[in-house]
Each structure stands twice: as structure tokens, then as C-alpha cells.
Amino acid sequence: MNTAHDSTLGKAVSGSASYDPGLLFAIARAPKRAELGIGAALPFAGVDVWNAYEMSWLDARGKPQVALGELRVAAHSPNLIESKSLKLYLNSLNETRFDNAEAVRACVLRDLSACAGAPVAVALRTLGNAAHGMIAPLPGESLDGADIDVDHFGPPHVQYLRSEADAAIVEQTLVSDLLKTNCPVTGQPDWASVQIAYRGRPIDHVGLLRYLVSFRRHDDFHEQCVERIFVDILHHCAPERLSVNARYTRRGGLDINPWRSTEATAVVPNQRVARQ
């Protein structure tokens, strides 16, 4: 079974000058989910939305082409795709000739679906598509203005999470730009804005902010961190509905934006924020 430490993370690699799907590296989701008490029956629906800002290939005559890629990996897929391996794979397309952009899309769809173990959605957009480039803050009430002292930066501290048991049911969307986690192999920081939308008893805002800050020294991949946040809030605050959406800043021309929700039918946006 592949682990993060078996991947190319933290290692010097030369990549490939020609198309090479063998560069893709799958990491099983199940072991980390087991740590959270998640079995085969997932407590959420979701998707990992990737934006690839450095996609390029050659047309049939050798002329370079560029595009923005949007990749959607379903949360129910057995594997996540390790990001450095995806970067190396996409680089292997740089000097590969394709008849047209649809041939590129079909190739990437086939290879990523095989790596993830489930169908992956792939869209390519031209750089002139202004809608893809729109930047706006995540909708919701910001938690970050709270006047608090903080002295716990890891591991994630679920004791901060609490809801008002006797209060009326509310619907709230809460946002923080203070989420920081770390790569489990290299220790490099990963920065994100996170949006938490729920229906249920009011969640204590100060406690929620302290909980998010307590990820500051936590080592896990983006997808695993978002699933931990989702499961912790679900277990400790018991909302009727819950979604957690994190927008991570890009690294190596890629950003990863996991979304997990109790609502399987929800439309998952791909809204860039200021740091993306």
C-alpha cells in the first residue's frame, strides 16, 4: 500500500520530457479515515476541486498550447492523488503532441481516474475565460475579528468545539482565513481559507476559531485536514446539516480545495479567494 513517504515528496526528481502516466502516485484514503472512525460508509459527500494553472502541451504541428485545468476528484474515490506526482505528470505533457484540447482532456481524465480509482471530472479553459479568474471572499461571517488569546497550536483541540444545547436552531455560514496545516512529509506550511456552513444549535464562534487555529502544527494532506474538521464538528456540535469548504493556496501551479457535506446534492462552487 502506497504511503506519502513512498512518493516523490521531499525528493529531487527530474520528471519526464515525454508523456508519462506512471508518474502519478495514489495514496489510499482509508487509513487516515480509519483514524477518524470513518469506515466504508462515509458520513459525507464531497469532492476535491483542483485548479491547475500551468497546463501546456503541443498541437499536432508542435505549437505550444496553454490552458487552465479544473479537476474534480470525488471524495468516495478510494485514493487521493499526491500533488507533486500530479505536477510531474502534467509537466510530462509539455512536449507531447495532441490533435486538439479535447484529446488532452480525455487523456488526463483517463489517467487521473485510473489513479484515483473512480471517475475524475476534467475541464480545460482558455486564459481568456474571465469567469474562471474572478476573485472574491468566501461568503459568510468572519470569525477572525474575535479578540482572543491563543496558546494552543497543535494537535487539533476538539475540546474547543461546543454548541448551545438549549438554544433555537440557526443556519450560519462562518469563515476564517487563519487555517494553516503542514505537509506530512516535508513539513512545509499549507495556508487556507475555510468556510463552515451548518444548520443546528449555535456553535460557539470563539471556540470554533480556537479549534481552527489549533491545526497550526498539524501534519496532514489538505483532504485529510478538511475531513477531520468535518467529523470533529459533526461529532461535537451535532448539526443537522454541515458543509466544510477549504480553499488552499497554490503550490507548484496547483491548488487543492476539498469540500465535504452532509448534502450529497449540493452544487460545489470553485470560487477563487484572494490568496489564490
Side-chain angles (χ1 to χ4, degrees), residues 94-109:
N94 289 349
E95 296 182 19
T96 303
R97 295 185 185 224
F98 292 89
D99 289 339
N100 50 48
E102 175 55 27
V104 179
R105 192 194 71 83
C107 175
V108 173
L109 185 155

Side-chain angles (χ1 to χ4, degrees), residues 100-224:
N100 50 48
E102 175 55 27
V104 179
R105 192 194 71 83
C107 175
V108 173
L109 185 155
R110 179 188 67 241
D111 294 340
L112 297 193
S113 297
C115 185
V120 172
V122 177
L124 301 182
R125 296 183 174 87
T126 65
L127 302 191
N129 187 331
H132 184 81
M134 297 290 286
I135 293 176
L138 288 172
E141 178 184 351
S142 177
L143 300 170
D144 297 346
D147 185 15
I148 59 173
D149 295 324
V150 181
D151 56 11
H152 184 85
F153 301 102
H157 202 49
V158 295
Q159 289 81 355
Y160 290 138
L161 292 173
R162 55 186 177 273
S163 58
E164 300 176 32
D166 298 325
I169 298 295
V170 299
E171 292 195 34
Q172 291 187 329
T173 301
L174 306 173
V175 174
S176 176
D177 297 312
L178 303 186
L179 182 63
K180 171 190 171 287
T181 60
N182 305 294
C183 173
V185 177
T186 66
Q188 291 297 303
D190 296 315
W191 308 92
S193 298
V194 61
Q195 179 191 59
I196 297 163
Y198 75 96
R199 172 182 169 82
R201 307 295 179 187
I203 296 174
D204 178 67
H205 290 190
V206 169
L208 179 56
L209 180 59
R210 285 195 169 112
Y211 166 75
L212 294 173
V213 171
S214 74
F215 275 79
R216 203 163 181 85
R217 295 175 185 163
H218 182 66
D219 300 335
D220 258 336
F221 290 123
H222 304 358
E223 301 93 331
Q224 296 160 352

Side-chain angles (χ1 to χ4, degrees), residues 2-9 11 25 27 82 183-186 221:
N2 288 340
T3 69
H5 292 276
D6 300 318
S7 73
T8 55
L9 276 171
K11 302 169 186 174
F25 189 86
I27 298 176
E82 191 278 308
C183 173
V185 177
T186 66
F221 290 123

Side-chain angles (χ1 to χ4, degrees), residues 243-272:
S243 66
V244 178
N245 175 28
R247 304 290 305 187
Y248 275 89
T249 59
R250 76 182 73 171
R251 181 181 292 171
L254 297 166
D255 63 44
I256 311 171
N257 309 282
W259 178 88
R260 301 291 183 268
S261 178
T262 55
E263 305 299 302
T265 58
V267 176
V268 183
N270 186 13
Q271 174 60 62
R272 292 174 61 195

